[in-house]
Amino acid sequence: MKSLKFIVALFGLGLFLVPQNSQAQEKPATDLTAKPADQTPAKHEFWKDRKVYLNEDGSNYLKFTMLSQVWVRNQEYNPGTTIFDTPKSSGTDIGIRRFRIQMYGQLTNEVFIYSQIGENNYNNISDRKQGFFIHDATGEYALDKEKLSLGAGLSGWTGLSRFSSSGVGSLMGIDGPLFLETTNDVSDQFVRKLSVYAKGKLGKFDYRIAVAQPMAIQKSTATLAVGSNSSFSTRPPEAQYNGYFQYQFKDQESNLIPYAAGTYLGKKTVFNVGAGIIYQKDAMWHKNVANDTITSDMLHLAADVFYDAPIGTKGEAVSFYGNFTHYDFGHNYIRNTAPMNPANGNNDATVLNGGGNGYPAYGTGNVLYAQIGYKFKENLIGKTTLMPYAAIQHAHYERLKEDMNFYDVGVNWLLAGQTSKLTVSYQNRPIYNTAGDLTDHKGAIVAQYQVSFN
């Protein structure tokens, strides 16, 4: 009942955001005595399309973008959850899921620079004044503008799948398929890796490959001690190899930056089939029954399909993404994710999920994922429209005795496309004990307001 009241209150508040049709103003009468307009050719505009042009034809430019995503949630917490040692079973919280600023530019016909700074998961228990951090910082040189560009830096040019590098400002759901960010903040910096990369298009074939130097596990929150279940080795890491390859059957997508669009809202017809890989030698370790330390390679393989297209004649659109991923993190590996966790403790050592909203998203095994959404006609509600969606992650991990299912069902209220939108979703996550038994499910209602300047 509380959840229903929460949804009604959010949509009631949102009604004040709906743009209203204003009365058309009467056009002034034409002044026949006015002097003819100056026929002198206009000078080149150096600020257009939200870019600063560096040359006359606009092929060299600088551009910046901004993104804000604010969450308000009401959710059930995992058993044993504590916030600064105070037990809590549920709660409501407000936080900044993401704030980003991108700055990039085509400095010459061959030279491209890209950077992104921002903050993620800032809530009332976060360290204050922690400041922005660098997400991306890369330089790139085009040997052939279309077929081959080489770059290096802190980069999102990773392997495996489409949404291993998500364009977060165009996501269809309230969040992306987080499990595809395979080493997020374990051996990378919020998905980004110190790497050299190559990218390009050969006709309709789009590719990216990268060699990354994994970041020190000692600087992450990952488990450092070696135990009977696999974990990331703290020894100096070997190179990590990444690749993602796709065939784009319909409209071609830009590969200017590494982040893939979630949905085009009917503005393009895209049909892609892709496959990818991430491999790192001796990335993992565990103890065997003889208490010997055994190292093993990390190998991930994935295949996916993406379809996003207009249908009908009034702006309707459909979007679908399907993914199969095979994860090999070594013997019995499991890892939780807890987006913008509202808690910082757990007093029940038998709970595998940890405190707050954590759940086992990553593990050795196989994963099926699908999401689908439908955009209604334009001007469905005043000048706005709706796009409901549903998504499921179904995972068979060797550490768990029962399969893991995570559900996300919601609706986007497109107040001004992706520039201004309100999303409300219901999420359901499973609860496991440390023996791998499924013991319960917990739910969450999440509302997000997004503002995007792009």
Side-chain angles (χ1 to χ4, degrees):
M1 189 66 181
K2 290 182 179 179
S3 296
L4 179 60
K5 290 180 180 179
F6 186 73
I7 296 173
V8 172
L10 282 170
F11 273 94
L13 178 62
L15 287 174
F16 291 100
L17 301 175
V18 181
Q20 303 297 320
N21 291 324
S22 58
Q23 297 294 325
Q25 295 182 351
E26 183 180 353
K27 295 181 179 180
T30 303
D31 183 1
L32 299 179
T33 64
K35 294 181 180 180
D38 186 358
Q39 299 300 314
T40 303
K43 293 183 178 180
H44 177 73
E45 297 181 49
F46 286 92
W47 172 257
K48 187 179 179 182
D49 300 328
R50 299 170 183 175
K51 297 177 181 177
V52 177
Y53 289 128
L54 305 179
N55 60 357
E56 289 293 330
D57 64 9
S59 59
N60 302 150
Y61 61 86
L62 292 172
K63 180 179 172 67
F64 80 94
T65 74
M66 299 177 68
L67 172 74
S68 173
Q69 294 175 336
V70 178
W71 280 14
V72 180
R73 298 180 295 188
N74 180 270
Q75 54 188 337
E76 300 171 302
Y77 296 155
N78 297 338
T81 290
T82 61
I83 300 177
F84 295 109
D85 299 322
T86 300
K88 292 283 288 183
S89 61
S90 63
T92 300
D93 69 310
I94 304 169
I96 300 170
R97 179 66 173 99
R98 299 178 183 91
F99 185 83
R100 305 282 177 80
I101 298 174
Q102 293 182 109
M103 295 167 285
Y104 58 90
Q106 191 70 51
L107 305 185
T108 73
N109 292 338
E110 295 81 21
V111 178
F112 180 74
I113 188 170
Y114 177 72
S115 66
Q116 183 175 198
I117 60 174
E119 190 165 5
N120 306 278
N121 301 321
Y122 184 80
N123 61 12
N124 72 311
I125 63 172
S126 300
D127 292 335
R128 302 181 198 179
K129 302 178 182 178
Q130 60 185 3
F132 288 178
F133 68 90
I134 295 174
H135 287 65
D136 302 79
T138 61
E140 185 176 300
Y141 189 87
L143 297 176
D144 182 294
K145 190 66 176 174
E146 180 179 350
K147 297 177 181 179
L148 177 60
S149 294
L150 302 177
L154 183 62
S155 160
W157 290 104
T158 185
L160 197 62
S161 71
R162 177 183 185 86
F163 289 134
S164 295
S165 292
S166 300
V168 294
S170 61
L171 294 175
M172 181 172 65
I174 200 120
D175 228 340
L178 300 179
F179 77 96
L180 290 172
E181 300 172 354
T182 58
T183 57
N184 190 336
D185 269 353
V186 178
S187 61
D188 59 38
Q189 180 158 289
F190 221 79
V191 179
R192 287 76 178 176
K193 304 173 183 182
L194 291 168
S195 63
V196 294
Y197 63 87
K199 66 169 188 178
K201 288 176 176 289
L202 304 174
K204 294 187 175 183
F205 178 76
D206 181 281
Y207 72 92
R208 62 179 69 184
I209 55 176
V211 179
Q213 180 182 29
M215 296 181 182
I217 304 301
Q218 291 88 337
K219 295 294 185 178
S220 75
T221 58
T223 300
L224 299 182
V226 57
S228 59
N229 297 317
S230 183
S231 61
F232 279 82
S233 170
T234 60
R235 293 170 180 168
E238 301 286 342
Q240 184 187 104
Y241 300 93
N242 297 260
Y244 180 59
F245 315 92
Q246 57 181 325
Y247 194 84
Q248 301 180 348
F249 290 90
K250 297 290 187 178
D251 291 350
Q252 298 300 290
E253 295 188 276
S254 171
N255 66 349
L256 183 68
I257 62 175
Y259 303 108
T263 176
Y264 291 100
L265 302 178
K267 293 179 172 61
K268 293 173 75 78
T269 299
V270 177
F271 176 45
N272 299 347
V273 175
I277 184 173
I278 297 177
Y279 171 77
Q280 183 182 335
K281 180 178 173 59
D282 294 337
M284 317 300 296
W285 64 4
H286 69 277
K287 294 279 191 181
N288 64 10
V289 292
N291 207 36
D292 299 320
T293 298
I294 307 300
T295 59
S296 59
D297 300 343
M298 182 182 74
L299 174 64
H300 308 322
L301 301 170
D304 57 11
V305 59
F306 178 67
Y307 181 75
D308 193 85
I311 58 174
T313 59
K314 298 181 180 180
E316 303 96 330
V318 66
S319 184
F320 171 79
Y321 178 71
N323 175 285
F324 171 79
T325 298
H326 170 74
Y327 280 143
D328 186 356
F329 288 100
H331 176 69
N332 264 358
Y333 179 86
I334 203 77
R335 186 169 92 251
N336 293 319
T337 189
M340 203 170 71
N341 200 337
N344 54 9
N346 189 291
N347 59 19
D348 188 344
T350 68
V351 177
L352 179 65
N353 298 52
N357 60 343
Y359 66 97
Y362 312 88
T364 293
N366 297 319
V367 186
L368 285 171
Y369 176 86
Q371 69 174 22
I372 189 167
Y374 175 78
K375 175 177 169 283
F376 286 94
K377 67 177 183 178
E378 295 291 345
N379 304 321
L380 179 70
I381 306 172
K383 294 182 179 179
T384 74
T385 191
L386 300 175
M387 186 174 191
Y389 72 91
I392 179 174
Q393 178 190 350
H394 173 80
H396 180 76
Y397 293 143
E398 66 178 35
R399 175 80 176 273
L400 306 177
K401 294 178 181 177
E402 296 183 54
D403 289 349
M404 196 286 297
N405 292 301
F406 177 83
Y407 303 95
D408 179 19
V409 180
V411 60
N412 297 288
W413 190 0
L414 303 172
L415 303 168
Q418 302 284 15
T419 300
S420 173
K421 72 175 181 180
L422 176 67
T423 305
V424 178
S425 83
Y426 172 76
Q427 297 179 338
N428 185 278
R429 67 186 186 277
I431 307 297
Y432 291 87
N433 62 25
T434 51
D437 299 307
L438 178 64
T439 62
D440 201 358
H441 288 83
K442 297 295 183 182
I445 294 175
V446 187
Q448 172 186 274
Y449 181 58
Q450 170 175 301
V451 177
S452 176
F453 173 84
N454 190 8

